[in-house]
Amino acid sequence: MSDLAVALGLVLVIEGLLWALSPGLGRKLLQASAEMPEGSLRLAGAAAAACGVLIVWLVRG
């Protein structure tokens, strides 16, 4: 359970840094994602989730 809390904390750090360092880029990314087809967003989300699982599997062995 503590690993899950650490992972959530790291996600918040990374998200927070994006908005703190470059809010304009964050807005552009939100605008671009709003204009993308739903299927493309689902595919990108699934690919990101798969990459995350792969990274955790490689690190945790």
Side-chain angles (χ1 to χ4, degrees):
M1 189 65 170
S2 65
D3 288 341
L4 180 61
V6 170
L8 180 61
L10 287 173
V11 168
L12 292 173
V13 166
I14 292 167
E15 289 281 333
L17 285 174
L18 169 68
W19 291 106
L21 297 176
S22 184
L25 176 62
R27 284 193 179 121
K28 286 180 185 177
L29 290 172
L30 285 174
Q31 179 77 26
S33 67
E35 296 171 358
M36 287 180 69
E38 192 172 299
S40 296
L41 290 173
R42 285 182 197 267
L43 183 61
C51 287
V53 168
L54 179 65
I55 290 168
V56 170
W57 180 69
L58 289 173
V59 171
R60 290 291 180 176

